[in-house]
Amino acid sequence: MPKSLQTLLATIPANQILAASGDLATPISAPVVESSLEVRPGGLFVARAGQSVDGHNFIPDAIATGAAAIVGEAEAPELPVPYIRVRSAGQVLGLLAAAWHDFPSRQLVIIGVTGTDGKTTTCLLLHSILKHVSDIKAGYISTISADFGDETSATGLHVTTPSAPVIQAYLAKMVEAGLTHCILEMTSHGLAQGRLQGVDIDVAVLTNVMHEHLDYHGSWEEYRAAKAVMFRMLQDSWRKPVQEKVSIINADDPSSAYFTAIPADRHITYSISKPACYRASDLTYSLSVTRFHVSEQALTLQLPGEFNVYNALAAFAAARALGARLNSIVAGIAHVKAIPGRMERIDEGQDFIAMVDFAHTPNALKRALEAGRRMLAPGKRLIAVFGSAGLRDVEKRRLMAETSAQLADVTILTAEDPRTESLAEILAMMAAGCLARGGVEGETFVRIPDRGNAIYRACQLARAGDLVMACGKGHEQSMCFGTVEHPWDDREALRSALRGAPLSTLPTAKQGRHAPD
């Protein structure tokens, strides 16, 4: 239903508006967007300066396509449509999009999940639980996909939190489909950039806060503060009579006290090692299942590793906060057999274990390799293949390499989205990390720039009972060299290697350097 520009503007803080020109009664009959390519006649175009593209340069294109009004940060020449100048286009974009869609999050119970590692797995475990609760119809928006009840949609190649207009459109679609709850993965980038503005959340879940994204946030403290935005949103959000505002916090995380200090109607904690509202005990691990107890309730988790116990605990605590019974939680957790790209086994009949995992942070890699160790019989080897992204946190290159040098028997350093950085220089930094922990190049670690050749070589090195683990890409469907995204899937690369040939879709395919036998 069309809304006047004035009606939409009334939903943003008054101090955001610096100037306005044109008829504020102009009807807005199409969605609020931030891409000129997505403008529909009668829509509202929000221009903001991004890291690589300035949306103000596309105002003429937006008007030519039919934008009824423009919101931006820069002083603009006289335009044929209303122009509203604001302090921060990024901070008002979500509110405007939410208002156009009639604030769909207010018609849903929203569970936000943030943290360095485990967000997607926690979201999908909680979703599985809620599907076993009769009076709840839940969807989700995660790094992998969005679920609308009867259909799912991929969320992109390298997407974290989608753009604010997309989030609001997804939430509106869930309301239209009759859903009652939405589990929303919230990244530090999305929170810091205001992509979650206009989302009224009810339950905030923290997995952990570890070393990551310092290239963007500048410091670990600023990174943690970005995560905290989600918890502060609990009190800023519109109050719903059906759900109190609850925070769910990992008591074993070093920052737990920082997050429990943020006001909420109720704080719920979970842990493995410290006192908490929900604490896992009697943990036993095998290749196929993990078993443990929570509140004297036995649970079976078909996902390996202690880190997945933490993810299951977070989902358990959130489900209890939403009123789920124990039988629904037990069934929901047991039902999840695999998460795409997360400790995902690839079987082509080989006599060793082959897995793909999304671990792309020092802590995630550590936990994945530790989980891998538990799967191995005495005397069997762990072979790790991973890289570190270009134009991202530089310090983690050394940290990840050091971790693998300590936990893996063989480390193969390779490409992972080098972007416009020198791949050779990235690998040199990582090699220095291996050397610092006693690694010997050519024996315990090697550099193979082409990821297809690296994964192939890992499989060639593997003996019966060993474990090959390709980390860092997980479910992602492309890899960036320069500014170009090339088709890539670690799972397909591993399947190809197990069948006897490296996957050769990357620019480095003919430049691979092989490891010695």
Side-chain angles (χ1 to χ4, degrees):
M1 173 180 287
K3 297 174 176 63
S4 72
L5 175 60
Q6 191 169 32
T7 298
L8 297 182
L9 294 175
T11 66
I12 67 176
N15 63 2
Q16 275 284 351
I17 299 177
L18 300 177
S21 63
D23 183 6
L24 299 187
T26 297
I28 304 299
S29 57
V32 177
V33 298
E34 63 175 334
S35 168
S36 61
L37 298 177
E38 296 173 355
V39 171
R40 288 163 46 189
L44 176 62
F45 176 64
V46 179
R48 64 185 183 90
Q51 288 183 293
S52 57
V53 176
D54 188 344
H56 296 86
N57 296 331
F58 298 92
I59 289 175
D61 294 338
I63 294 173
T65 306
I70 307 293
V71 171
E73 299 169 342
E75 292 187 18
E78 187 173 338
L79 298 175
V81 298
Y83 179 76
I84 313 302
R85 187 182 175 208
V86 297
R87 294 183 186 278
S88 172
Q91 293 300 316
V92 304
L93 175 61
L95 291 168
L96 294 168
W100 196 86
H101 286 288
D102 295 318
F103 291 97
S105 65
R106 296 180 181 179
Q107 302 170 65
L108 298 161
V109 174
I110 303 292
I111 306 98
V113 180
T114 196
T116 306
D117 309 308
K119 296 184 293 297
T120 298
T121 299
T122 298
C123 286
L124 297 186
L125 284 167
L126 180 56
H127 183 251
S128 179
I129 293 170
L130 297 184
K131 286 174 69 176
H132 287 80
V133 180
S134 59
D135 58 346
I136 288 178
K137 293 184 66 178
Y140 65 77
I141 303 172
S142 78
T143 301
I144 297 174
S145 61
D147 179 278
F148 304 103
D150 294 327
E151 63 174 298
T152 59
S153 172
T155 49
L157 300 176
H158 277 106
V159 168
T160 53
T161 301
S163 69
V166 170
I167 290 172
Q168 296 300 330
Y170 281 174
L171 294 175
K173 188 172 183 178
M174 291 180 188
V175 171
E176 185 179 357
L179 301 191
T180 60
H181 293 60
C182 174
I183 307 156
L184 179 53
E185 185 174 333
M186 297 186 174
T187 65
S188 61
H189 285 79
L191 289 161
Q193 293 170 6
R195 283 181 253 162
L196 284 310
Q197 290 291 326
V199 177
D200 293 285
I201 72 169
D202 305 284
V203 178
V205 181
L206 177 75
T207 59
N208 57 23
V209 185
M210 308 301 287
H211 184 106
E212 176 67 332
H213 298 311
L214 302 194
D215 57 300
Y216 178 81
H217 297 285
S219 69
W220 185 83
E221 289 75 16
E222 288 299 316
Y223 172 56
R224 185 175 65 173
K227 297 289 188 188
V229 168
M230 186 184 80
F231 288 82
R232 302 191 195 285
M233 288 169 65
L234 287 172
Q235 292 304 306
D236 295 337
S237 291
W238 190 71
R239 304 289 300 190
K240 303 168 191 172
V242 296
Q243 178 64 49
E244 62 182 342
K245 304 293 185 177
V246 183
S247 67
I248 312 289
I249 296 165
N250 180 355
D252 290 340
D253 188 83
S255 294
S256 60
Y258 173 87
F259 287 92
T260 53
I262 300 172
D265 294 341
R266 186 156 53 112
H267 294 95
I268 298 175
T269 55
Y270 64 93
S271 81
I272 292 177
S273 61
K274 293 183 179 179
C277 301
Y278 299 107
R279 184 176 178 181
S281 62
D282 306 318
L283 282 73
T284 60
Y285 303 97
S286 71
L287 181 59
S288 56
V289 298
T290 302
R291 292 186 171 87
F292 58 101
H293 285 78
V294 181
S295 300
E296 300 183 355
Q297 176 65 57
L299 290 103
T300 298
L301 176 65
Q302 298 191 74
L303 303 174
E306 182 181 82
F307 62 94
N308 275 319
V309 175
Y310 278 107
N311 297 332
L313 282 169
F316 185 109
R320 291 297 280 168
L322 295 167
R325 297 180 181 274
L326 287 175
N327 62 334
S328 296
I329 296 174
V330 171
I333 287 176
H335 183 76
V336 178
K337 294 180 172 60
I339 306 293
R342 273 70 174 172
M343 298 297 280
E344 183 176 349
R345 291 189 65 177
I346 307 297
D347 189 354
E348 291 290 331
Q350 75 278 4
D351 60 2
F352 57 89
I353 308 166
M355 305 186 82
V356 167
D357 191 68
F358 191 47
H360 60 287
T361 69
N363 183 62
L365 183 65
K366 177 177 182 291
R367 298 197 304 176
L369 296 181
E370 287 174 342
R373 276 279 168 220
R374 290 194 183 97
M375 300 176 191
L376 291 171
K380 302 305 178 182
R381 301 178 306 160
L382 175 56
I383 303 171
V385 184
F386 63 96
S388 192
L391 304 183
R392 297 295 184 268
D393 190 349
V394 174
E395 180 65 13
K396 76 175 186 178
R397 298 170 187 175
R398 174 184 60 82
L399 294 173
M400 292 179 69
E402 289 181 357
T403 295
S404 188
Q406 292 173 298
L407 294 175
D409 296 287
V410 178
T411 296
I412 300 179
L413 306 174
T414 190
E416 182 194 314
D417 300 293
R419 299 186 171 88
T420 56
E421 277 201 69
S422 163
L423 176 55
E425 291 179 8
I426 293 173
L427 295 179
M429 292 180 197
M430 300 183 75
C434 287
L435 292 168
R437 294 298 178 183
V440 179
E441 187 154 16
E443 295 182 16
T444 62
F445 81 92
V446 293
R447 294 177 246 185
I448 302 180
D450 180 65
R451 196 173 180 96
N453 276 307
I455 291 173
Y456 173 76
R457 192 57 180 152
C459 293
Q460 293 295 300
L461 288 171
R463 304 166 189 153
D466 286 351
L467 167 58
V468 170
M469 190 178 292
C471 295
K473 294 295 293 177
H475 65 285
E476 292 182 342
Q477 300 292 294
S478 70
M479 193 183 304
C480 187
F481 285 77
T483 58
V484 178
E485 294 282 349
H486 297 267
W488 183 262
D489 186 326
D490 262 10
R491 295 164 295 185
E492 290 304 312
L494 193 46
R495 289 188 184 97
S496 180
L498 293 171
R499 292 168 185 162
L503 187 63
S504 302
T505 62
L506 301 176
T508 49
K510 295 182 180 180
Q511 304 167 15
R513 175 179 149 198
H514 295 278
D517 291 325

